[in-house]
Amino acid sequence: DTEVTQTPKHLVMGMTNKKSLKCEQHMGHRAMYWYKQKAKKPPELMFVYSYEKLSINESVPSRFSPECPNSSLLNLHLHALQPEDSALYLCASSQGGGRTLGNTIYFGEGSWLTVV
Amino acid sequence: DAKTTQPPSMDCAEGRAANLPCNHSTISGNEYVYWYRQIHSQGPQYIIHGLKNNETNEMASLIITEDRKSSTLILPHATLRDTAVYYCIVRVAFNNNNDMRFGAGTRLTVKP
């Protein structure tokens, strides 16, 4: 089972709203990721958590706030977004952590975000 | 992680083999070659990965040149459902930071 579940699948929010994207995996993976993908572009890495600690932040604006409450869950809190933040947000996970050989990353189906 | 170069687009006839090339001339000895694909509006799907030996699974075969500077992903009998963007990525085998970054990929169109 290589399933990463993301909710909601679609989200429309105003620029003053606060919302969250959620991601869950039950594969025992210890690394979790957020990617952002604009239309016709490749996914861009945003954040990486390893063992529930933030290990990579790709200089993402503070209006995006990640949270890893436990090893199975990853949230992305959204506040005061701009219309240009509209995109597909992808969550992923991998065994991760330390010296892991052949560290394959598995993706969820994504959450489509529209900021109006 | 090393950068990769892929053709932006390719066509393939249904039922024929699709051969997708990737150049990674600056690959390091401890970097694996990974292939993912992304079907329209879906999350990227893992296909296969390898270090230096050729690899095969139920989805595809991966051929890596002896000098490891290039590789080819082979879909042996392409179907219309294989139409997707295919990404070739090289990343270290032991990745304490667990990062993976995508290049532009190849848009494969399988035609009837």
Side-chain angles (χ1 to χ4, degrees):
Chain A
D1 182 9
T2 55
E3 188 169 309
V4 177
T5 304
Q6 292 188 241
T7 55
K9 292 197 186 318
H10 298 273
L11 177 64
V12 179
M13 63 183 290
M15 289 188 283
T16 59
N17 290 160
K18 287 185 180 180
K19 297 285 184 183
S20 298
L21 304 180
K22 298 185 184 300
C23 176
E24 189 169 7
Q25 57 86 15
H26 294 289
M27 296 177 279
H29 288 175
R30 302 312 300 268
M32 296 188 76
Y33 310 71
W34 281 114
Y35 286 80
K36 173 183 177 179
Q37 187 173 24
K38 301 283 283 184
K40 300 188 185 301
K41 297 291 187 181
E44 296 178 17
L45 184 65
M46 299 176 70
F47 302 105
V48 180
Y49 274 82
S50 179
Y51 285 87
E52 295 133 63
K53 292 190 187 325
L54 185 64
S55 59
I56 295 178
N57 177 343
E58 293 285 278
S59 301
V60 178
S62 60
R63 58 185 184 270
F64 296 92
S65 175
E67 178 196 19
C68 189
N70 59 55
S71 60
S72 300
L73 295 174
L74 185 66
N75 299 321
L76 186 63
H77 302 299
L78 314 170
H79 175 53
L81 295 193
Q82 303 297 311
E84 58 265 29
D85 296 320
S86 299
L88 177 66
Y89 288 84
L90 294 159
C91 176
S93 72
S94 67
Q95 284 185 313
R99 298 178 63 78
T100 305
L101 181 64
N103 193 10
T104 300
I105 297 176
Y106 298 96
F107 286 82
E109 290 303 313
S111 292
W112 289 94
L113 173 68
T114 303
V115 182
V116 297
Chain B
D1 289 351
K3 294 192 186 306
T4 62
T5 303
Q6 298 178 252
S9 64
M10 293 181 63
D11 291 341
C12 176
E14 189 178 20
R16 304 296 294 268
N19 297 290
L20 293 95
C22 180
N23 286 324
H24 31 79
S25 59
T26 59
I27 192 170
S28 301
N30 62 350
E31 288 181 316
Y32 277 62
V33 179
Y34 282 79
W35 283 85
Y36 283 76
R37 73 180 183 183
Q38 189 171 24
I39 296 169
H40 182 61
S41 300
Q42 297 182 20
Q45 177 188 23
Y46 165 76
I47 301 174
I48 199 167
H49 73 279
L51 183 63
K52 52 185 175 182
N53 297 322
N54 298 338
E55 301 288 344
T56 296
N57 63 21
E58 65 277 5
M59 289 183 67
S61 295
L62 174 60
I63 309 298
I64 303 173
T65 58
E66 192 169 343
D67 63 7
R68 302 210 322 123
K69 293 185 177 183
S70 66
S71 60
T72 301
L73 179 74
I74 301 172
L75 308 178
H77 306 286
T79 72
L80 299 179
R81 287 177 295 180
D82 292 321
T83 292
V85 178
Y86 287 77
Y87 295 102
C88 168
I89 301 163
V90 293
R91 56 196 290 255
V92 296
F94 296 101
N95 190 342
N96 290 339
N97 286 330
N98 300 305
D99 61 341
M100 184 171 77
R101 294 177 175 82
F102 289 77
T106 295
R107 183 172 297 277
L108 174 70
T109 303
V110 180
K111 298 185 174 181

